[in-house]
Amino acid sequence: MSNSDDSQKRGTGPAIVLVEPQLGENIGMVARAMANFGLTDLRLVNPRDGWPNEKARAAASRADHVIDAVRLFETVEAAIADLNFVLATTARPRDSFKPVRGPEEASADLRARAAAEQGTGILFGRERWGLNNEEVGLADEIVTFPVDPSFASLNIAQAVLLMSYAWQVAGAAGNTAPRFSAPEAPPATKDDLFRLFHHLEASLDRAGYFFPEAKREVLTQNLRTMLTKANFSEPEIHTLRGVIKAFDYEARRLGDARQETSEDEGA
């Protein structure tokens, strides 16, 4: 459903990904907040009222370049597939072992990744109840805002404005990067990571790992959290998939050998 197959231009600001936004006015105010701080990559996952949306354009207050460049996606996975590193915003604690950052620390890290030409993005949830646990699970880290815990609610445009401002401030800080660093392998995209998820889970399914069935969701989420935290490079992902293929091949070979032995004994 994406209206563009172009990947994020490396070295630019993070993609802002709105998951199932409800009101066109909110999308427009998000676009305006992004434009205030030089961000342009706005991605929408299943906007409730469809797209294009004239109410969004009106609320954007002449941030037409952001509105015109909006890309649509059917799933969060598709919206972040070309990215290397993704933050999930949330106002409440999660049953997750992912690192949790404030906006300043998170934005400084995003700046460093942009300088390394990595594609980055920030997930923002629905106006009424935010992101679900599975969506948070697709991100590398969590970012939350130091608001009053007795009233932690932010609307989606406010949340985007805070992160956009933190991104801008992080760019104004002095350059404290080391004079040189060791070469790094290219980081894996989320699409690479999702393929690893599906490959590993299919292999474990055949091996009977997800037992009893009632524990499948918890086991799957635990695996995905561990794999996401590892921050694999592209070559590492390919190596792991090669390892899984080798195990699958050996399991099939042993299974065929046992079957032949059983048939010979029954003859």
Side-chain angles (χ1 to χ4, degrees):
M1 184 170 145
S2 167
N3 61 1
S4 172
D5 293 327
D6 295 336
S7 294
Q8 183 187 63
K9 182 180 178 182
R10 301 309 189 195
T12 61
I16 301 299
V17 184
L18 307 186
V19 180
E20 297 183 355
Q22 296 172 290
L23 299 176
E25 292 89 340
N26 286 340
I27 298 172
M29 287 188 286
V30 164
R32 181 178 181 179
M34 292 171 61
N36 286 152
F37 299 102
L39 300 181
T40 59
D41 188 354
L42 178 56
R43 308 180 183 193
L44 308 180
V45 179
N46 290 330
R48 186 191 66 181
D49 295 337
W51 195 263
N53 187 303
E54 289 307 311
K55 291 182 178 179
R57 186 175 295 277
S61 188
R62 297 191 299 278
D64 291 334
H65 62 294
V66 179
I67 293 294
D68 291 339
V70 163
R71 287 186 275 173
L72 304 181
F73 298 88
E74 293 183 349
T75 64
V76 176
E77 289 93 333
I80 65 175
D82 65 308
L83 305 178
N84 305 109
F85 183 83
V86 176
L87 294 169
T89 59
T90 181
R92 63 184 187 274
R94 301 285 182 152
D95 185 18
S96 172
F97 295 103
K98 294 182 183 296
V100 180
R101 314 289 186 200
E104 295 84 2
E105 182 184 6
S107 294
D109 183 51
L110 289 177
R111 282 281 180 180
R113 292 178 183 278
E117 297 188 341
Q118 294 184 24
T120 62
I122 311 173
L123 295 176
F124 296 85
R126 303 153 188 84
E127 289 94 328
R128 294 184 65 184
W129 48 278
L131 298 167
N132 63 36
N133 288 335
E134 183 177 352
E135 291 157 352
V136 171
L138 296 175
D140 297 276
E141 296 182 359
I142 290 171
V143 61
T144 192
F145 305 104
V147 294
D148 188 332
S150 65
F151 194 76
S153 176
L154 290 174
N155 71 38
I156 191 169
Q158 289 173 324
V160 172
L161 182 68
L162 285 173
M163 284 305 301
S164 300
Y165 172 73
W167 161 264
Q168 181 82 342
V169 170
N175 183 8
T176 59
R179 189 166 56 86
F180 64 90
S181 59
E184 294 185 4
T189 64
K190 292 302 172 191
D191 192 40
D192 288 331
L193 187 62
F194 300 156
R195 290 175 188 273
L196 174 63
F197 289 166
H198 299 149
H199 191 171
L200 177 60
E201 288 161 16
S203 181
L204 291 173
D205 210 6
R206 289 190 293 271
Y209 175 78
F210 298 110
F211 181 83
E213 184 66 24
K215 290 187 176 181
R216 174 183 290 270
E217 182 176 354
V218 171
L219 292 171
T220 297
Q221 284 300 110
N222 287 344
L223 281 171
R224 292 188 173 196
T225 295
M226 287 189 292
L227 293 171
T228 301
K229 285 172 64 179
N231 197 21
F232 290 120
S233 68
E234 185 178 301
E236 288 170 339
I237 290 280
H238 294 163
T239 298
L240 284 173
R241 294 196 64 187
V243 169
I244 297 168
K245 287 180 181 178
F247 283 141
D248 285 344
Y249 173 81
E250 183 65 9
R252 286 194 300 270
R253 189 186 69 79
L254 291 174
D256 291 343
R258 291 192 189 101
Q259 184 176 355
E260 290 175 3
T261 300
S262 177
E263 290 173 352
D264 290 343
E265 290 175 348

